[in-house]
């Protein structure tokens, strides 16, 4: 049997302080929604069942859960009348006994280790009810833990119901509970709304359990920052910074060099091998995978990119691209979805590449656009080359062979093919295939009109300079 019968996640709140058209639990830190971060930690307990209580913006929350936790059940709290009411709705939709973990959907910083230790302490002590608590430097806004003579919980008092003396207590309720389901069922129907909020508080179940002859116990968290909830954008940013530091610390412990962790943002699911180096101002997001000895940054964004061993990506923005071994990117390069840079290739300064493959050892050094192209090995694309891939209705493909030399300021008008070993002359517009070993020239013959400046720009400085150089009309 699983160690945990049921997890109830409370995510029905209106979240008015976020001032957002989106549900609070769908806001993201480290590349995951708040509720997804929580579910990742909760899943380490291998619960048999998940139930999420939804309410405000329920459709979008349910849709999101169908993507990240398709086995989770949802129940709707139409009237947001407190955590006790929400927990009772979830219990009414669950059959069987065992242990239930109840927590809020806006606590994304809880770690697997803390939840595992909380469950182990609850089980080990044979508790019928346990509350995860924390000691906060500033407990304002949190329910205070009132302990009895033997250290058990006497009651939990919400902030708005506290006396002056109770406000000085720094041990607070984190909103994370473990209950014996059969014990909780006996008391949850007796909750009353005689409080400042006129709501049914789940915290009042503790007092009812005590009155029934059972005892409730507080289990203190080792790190209060894990238990912080999110109510507004400031707290969202604070939580994101804590998660950033946690992720960066783990990577550095695993052998990654991060020059300035405070300006480096790495999503939770990113993988980075030892001996990679991340320079300041970089963001690595999505399903990115950075291999050993790669160098990223400074000021680089990678979204779901794979960077092979020894590659360098400097001051660039790359999305859903593959960057080969010892390849070089940047500075000021934009790699768009579908770009593949093979080993030892180069996408240099002010280059944009989209849905294209650049062969081994090939170079697109600077000031060029490459779209919907396949470039062979050891080919050089001259400065200011444009792969003209769009005719206004459809995209077309360009194929460039091995050991090709594309002259600067060439326009390759797709669909077109450049054969192995071929050249194009600088300034050419190429709209027909160039055979292997040929040179394609697509430009008008140059004509010099002598004396034009002296006739048409008589009073100009250019005319004076031309006369001085011996020019005649």
């Amino acid at each position: 049997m699983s160690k945990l019968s049921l997890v109830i996640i409370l995510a029905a709140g209106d979240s008015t302080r976020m001032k957002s058209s989106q549900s609070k639990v769908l806001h993201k830190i480290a590349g995951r929604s708040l509720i997804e971060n929580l579910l990742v930690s909760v899943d380490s307990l291998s619960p048999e069942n998940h139930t999420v209580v939804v309410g405000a913006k329920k459709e979008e929350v349910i849709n999101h859960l169908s993507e990240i936790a398709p086995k989770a059940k949802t129940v709707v709290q139409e009237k947001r009348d407190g955590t006790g009411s929400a927990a009772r709705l979830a219990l009414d939709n669950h059959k069987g006994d065992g242990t239930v973990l109840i927590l809020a959907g806006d606590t994304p910083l809880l770690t697997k280790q803390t939840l595992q230790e909380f469950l182990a302490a609850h089980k080990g002590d044979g508790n019928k009810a346990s509350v995860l608590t924390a000691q906060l430097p500033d407990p304002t806004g949190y329910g205070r833990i009132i302990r009895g003579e033997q250290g058990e919980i006497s009651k939990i008092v919400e902030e708005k119901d506290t006396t002056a003396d109770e406000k000085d207590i720094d041990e607070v309720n984190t909103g994370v509970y473990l209950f014996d389901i059969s014990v909780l069922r006996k008391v949850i129907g007796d909750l009353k709304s005689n409080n400042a909020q006129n709501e049914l508080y789940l915290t009042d179940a503790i007092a009812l359990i005590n009155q029934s002859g059972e005892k409730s116990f507080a289990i203190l968290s080792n790190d209060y920052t894990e238990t912080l909830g999110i109510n507004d954008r400031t707290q969202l940013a604070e939580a994101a910074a804590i998660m950033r530091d946690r992720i960066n610390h783990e990577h550095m412990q695993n052998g990654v060099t991060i020059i300035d962790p405070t300006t480096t943002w790495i999503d939770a699911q990113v993988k980075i091998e030892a001996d990679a180096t991340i320079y300041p101002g970089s963001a690595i997001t999505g399903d990115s995978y950075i291999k050993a000895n790669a160098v990223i940054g400074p000021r680089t964004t990678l979204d779901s990119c794979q960077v092979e061993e020894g590659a360098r990506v400097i001051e660039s923005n790359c999305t859903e691209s593959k960057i080969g071994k010892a390849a070089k990117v940047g500075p000021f390069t934009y790699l768009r979805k579908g770009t593949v840079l093979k080993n030892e290739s180069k996408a240099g300064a002010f280059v944009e590449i989209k849905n294209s493959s650049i062969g081994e050892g090939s170079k697109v050094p600077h000031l060029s656009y490459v779209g919907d192209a396949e470039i062979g090995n050891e080919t050089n694309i001259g400065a200011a080359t444009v792969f003209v891939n769009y005719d206004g209705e459809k995209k077309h493909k360009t194929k460039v062979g091995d050991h090709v030399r594309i002259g600067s300021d060439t326009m390759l008008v797709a669909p077109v093919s450049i054969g192995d070993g071929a050249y194009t002359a600088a300034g050419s517009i190429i709209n027909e295939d160039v055979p292997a070993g040929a040179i394609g020239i697509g430009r008008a013959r140059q004509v010099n009109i002598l004396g034009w400046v002296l006739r048409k720009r008589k009073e100009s400085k250019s005319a004076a300079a031309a006369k001085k150089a011996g020019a005649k009309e």
Side-chain angles (χ1 to χ4, degrees), residues 92-105:
D92 288 345
N93 281 267
H94 175 74
K95 295 180 180 180
D97 294 324
T99 302
V100 59
L101 171 67
I102 303 176
L103 26 59

Side-chain angles (χ1 to χ4, degrees), residues 214-226:
E214 300 288 354
K215 289 186 177 180
S216 305
F217 292 89
I219 299 174
L220 185 64
S221 169
N222 292 323
D223 181 358
Y224 77 88
T225 64
E226 288 190 25

Side-chain angles (χ1 to χ4, degrees), residues 260-331:
D260 183 3
T262 62
T263 63
T264 301
W265 294 81
I266 302 172
D267 277 0
Q269 60 268 45
V270 169
K271 296 179 181 178
I272 307 178
E273 293 183 357
D275 291 322
T277 299
I278 315 298
Y279 278 87
S282 295
I284 307 173
T285 64
D287 295 319
S288 294
Y289 191 145
I290 315 299
K291 293 195 175 180
N293 298 306
V295 177
I296 308 300
R299 293 172 295 280
T300 291
T301 299
L302 301 179
D303 181 14
S304 297
C305 292
Q306 181 168 322
V307 181
E308 297 293 331
E309 185 175 355
R312 297 180 61 93
V313 186
I314 302 170
E315 292 193 295
S316 296
N317 190 314
C318 311
T319 300
E320 296 183 48
S321 298
K322 295 182 179 180
I323 300 167
K325 184 176 181 179
K328 296 180 180 179
V329 179

Side-chain angles (χ1 to χ4, degrees), residues 336-404:
R336 292 166 59 188
K337 182 178 179 179
T339 296
V340 177
L341 301 183
K342 295 187 178 178
N343 296 345
E344 299 181 353
S345 61
K346 179 180 180 180
F350 299 101
V351 168
E352 180 178 346
I353 302 177
K354 166 251 178 189
N355 190 34
S356 298
S357 173
I358 312 300
E360 291 191 13
S362 290
K363 297 177 177 62
V364 187
H366 31 221
L367 301 166
S368 296
Y369 169 72
V370 179
D372 299 292
E374 182 180 318
I375 297 174
N377 299 330
E378 301 293 339
T379 283
N380 189 80
I381 308 299
T385 293
V386 175
F387 285 62
V388 185
N389 59 329
Y390 185 47
D391 66 5
E393 293 183 351
K394 296 180 180 179
K395 301 290 179 69
H396 300 278
K397 192 172 183 65
T398 298
K399 291 187 177 181
V400 179
D402 298 338
H403 296 280
V404 172

